[in-house]
Every structure is written in C-alpha cells, then in structure tokens.
Amino acid sequence: MDLEAEEGDTRHLPITTPPETHRRSICSNCCRPNPVCLCHALPSHPIQTTTQIFILHHPQEAKHKLSTTPILTKSLLNATSITGRRLRRGTSPLFDQFPPAIYLFPSTTSSPAINISDLNPSELKRNGENRLVLIAFDATWKHAKEMVKASEDFLSKFAIRVCLGMEDEKSSGGSIYDSELILRKEPFGGCVSTMEAVARALRVLEPNGVEIEASLIGILRELVKLQAGFLKPVKSRPKLLKMKKLKEVEKNESSENERRMQEGHVEVV
C-alpha cells in the first residue's frame, strides 16, 4: 500500500550515480597512453641542432593519435610547433624577423622546389648568422597543400621551397611507416611522415646529420612497432574486392574462349 506524503514532507528519491568511466592513463613525459609509451626510445637529452625546426600543425592532425609532431618536438631541442592553418606575420616572433629559412614541400609546375641535396646550408645564412629555420607542415596531403598555398605569399619574403627529391605523383603511395600494417596511406610514392621528412632534411643540414637521422628514424620505427600491436590490418574495401573479382572472372572467360577457339570448339562467323 502506497503512503501519501504528508504536507511539508520531502520525498527523497534514490540518487543514481553514473557508472565510473575508465580513462586511459597517459604518460606525463611523452604524452602517449602508457601501453604505447615511447619514453624508452626517446633520447635521454633532446638532440641539439643548429637548425631551428618549426612545424605548423593542422588542427585536425593535432588530434590524430599517429601524428609524429609531438614526438619530434620531444626529441629535438630546437623544435617547436604551432597549431594553425597558415603562416603569416604575427604567427611567431621568429618569422617576424624574416630569418633565412626553407620549407619542405614537393615541387609543382607553378611552384618549383629545390632538391635538398643541392642545397648549401652555409650559403643560405645571411650576415654570418649561424641559424637556419626548417619549416614543415603536418597535415593530411589535402590540408597540407591548402596550408602551403595560404602561406606562400608570406614565405616568399624569406624562405625557399625545398623538396626531398623522391616524390613521384605517377606512382601509387604506400604506407608512410615501414610495417606490415598500413597505418596511414600516402597519396603517392615518395611521401613520408613529418618526422621522417625532418630527419632526412637534417641529414643534409646538420654536420652530424647522419646520426640525427638514424636516431629519429629509430624512434619512428619503435612508434610503429608499438602501435601495430594494437591495430588490425586495414581490410580492402568491399567495392574494390568485387571489382577485382569481376575482372578476374572476365579475364578467365576470355582466356577460356581463346583456348576453345584454338581447339576448334567455337565457330567463328
């Protein structure tokens, strides 16, 4: 039998507490989830370079768990990053001084780039300056092109466009990581991750560039190794599989008809 509350009484309903949410524990040093912590692979002290590395990090890429920029800035003493979509006056006090700089991006017909292997770093430094700024854009291919286009008017005042010299738009792109898993697909052959691009550039720009490149690539490989343990291989899309199967069937039928014609089993009119 229900009892009616007397006037002035307060009916207290039971308080339901939301289920406890379990958040992944994050390493305070490398800022990655503890199961894929990279601290053991990072240099005990950030690598010193005479080159100042500056990375413009697209807002969407900054949220991507496979972005290499955070690890790069942890590994290099003179590497900084800013989240944004273009470079312009006021983006950083560094650029307001118009320092001698190069920015990494493949060559196009309208905007040719110099192969980095043809550069003489000492010739780029003005008035005896011992500083050169290396600019990289961290984003998807589509966003990176937009970022460069939006920044080029400003960059043309003090920076030179440089490419790694291995990009080939005629060949299909593979994985940017050397792994059995396709963690991230590149648009065409020769494209690499931001971390690998910077590593290859520093190989040319720094006196001990070979050692710096080896160190950075070693960290990248460890990142891939850890991440691959938690990801499943990317499956081919059903549509592509269907098209591939149809082509195989057509090819087999064509071969069979040709064989029968040769054996005289098919009458040609």
Side-chain angles (χ1 to χ4, degrees), residues 174-183 221 224-225 227-229:
S175 170
I176 57 174
Y177 303 125
D178 185 13
S179 168
E180 292 179 358
L181 299 178
I182 299 178
L183 301 185
R221 291 188 183 281
V224 173
K225 178 183 174 183
Q227 201 70 44

Side-chain angles (χ1 to χ4, degrees), residues 19-30:
E20 185 178 348
T21 55
H22 297 282
R23 302 189 65 182
R24 292 186 302 175
S25 53
I26 303 294
C27 174
S28 59
N29 181 46
C30 69

Side-chain angles (χ1 to χ4, degrees), residues 86-121:
R86 66 168 174 160
L87 294 175
R88 55 184 172 181
R89 185 181 286 274
T91 300
S92 168
L94 175 66
F95 297 131
D96 290 343
Q97 303 169 33
F98 293 152
I102 61 175
Y103 63 101
L104 291 174
F105 209 71
S107 182
T108 63
T109 305
S110 57
S111 299
I114 299 174
N115 192 313
I116 194 164
S117 61
D118 296 330
L119 280 182
N120 184 342

Side-chain angles (χ1 to χ4, degrees), residues 104-236:
L104 291 174
F105 209 71
S107 182
T108 63
T109 305
S110 57
S111 299
I114 299 174
N115 192 313
I116 194 164
S117 61
D118 296 330
L119 280 182
N120 184 342
S122 60
E123 292 180 357
L124 299 175
K125 299 171 185 177
R126 300 188 297 263
N127 302 323
E129 282 189 69
N130 194 33
R131 176 184 61 168
L132 179 66
V133 180
L134 170 65
I135 303 168
F137 297 87
D138 191 6
T140 62
W141 185 246
K142 176 179 180 294
H143 287 151
K145 287 197 287 188
E146 293 170 356
M147 292 161 74
V148 170
K149 187 175 180 179
S151 305
E152 273 193 311
D153 282 346
F154 177 63
L155 287 172
S156 64
K157 301 179 188 300
F158 61 94
I160 298 173
R161 182 165 174 158
V162 171
C163 66
L164 296 176
M166 57 185 200
E167 304 89 352
D168 183 6
E169 294 193 19
K170 295 179 182 178
S171 65
S172 60
S175 170
I176 57 174
Y177 303 125
D178 185 13
S179 168
E180 292 179 358
L181 299 178
I182 299 178
L183 301 185
R184 300 189 75 177
K185 184 77 174 177
E186 285 293 4
F188 53 79
C191 292
V192 294
S193 68
T194 302
M195 189 165 183
E196 189 174 353
V198 170
R200 294 188 180 191
L202 291 178
R203 177 189 179 99
V204 176
L205 299 176
E206 292 293 309
N208 58 334
V210 174
E211 291 82 0
I212 293 174
E213 180 190 37
S215 179
L216 294 178
I217 296 301
I219 297 168
L220 179 60
R221 291 188 183 281
E222 183 65 16
L223 181 152
V224 173
K225 178 183 174 183
L226 291 172
Q227 201 70 44
F230 291 87
L231 293 179
K232 294 180 181 179
V234 176
K235 294 181 180 179
S236 300

Side-chain angles (χ1 to χ4, degrees), residues 15-123:
I15 300 174
T16 57
T17 56
E20 185 178 348
T21 55
H22 297 282
R23 302 189 65 182
R24 292 186 302 175
S25 53
I26 303 294
C27 174
S28 59
N29 181 46
C30 69
C31 302
R32 289 174 57 79
N34 283 330
V36 288
C37 172
L38 263 181
C39 289
H40 64 283
L42 298 178
S44 54
H45 299 286
I47 301 169
Q48 175 77 49
T49 59
T50 57
T51 306
Q52 175 72 47
I53 299 94
F54 184 93
I55 303 165
L56 185 63
H57 211 186
H58 192 278
Q60 289 187 20
E61 187 68 17
K63 300 174 185 177
H64 202 291
K65 62 184 178 183
L66 291 178
S67 172
T68 57
T69 291
I71 299 303
L72 194 54
T73 54
K74 290 279 184 184
S75 304
L76 298 174
L77 184 62
N78 292 329
T80 57
S81 67
I82 287 181
T83 301
R85 296 174 186 268
R86 66 168 174 160
L87 294 175
R88 55 184 172 181
R89 185 181 286 274
T91 300
S92 168
L94 175 66
F95 297 131
D96 290 343
Q97 303 169 33
F98 293 152
I102 61 175
Y103 63 101
L104 291 174
F105 209 71
S107 182
T108 63
T109 305
S110 57
S111 299
I114 299 174
N115 192 313
I116 194 164
S117 61
D118 296 330
L119 280 182
N120 184 342
S122 60
E123 292 180 357

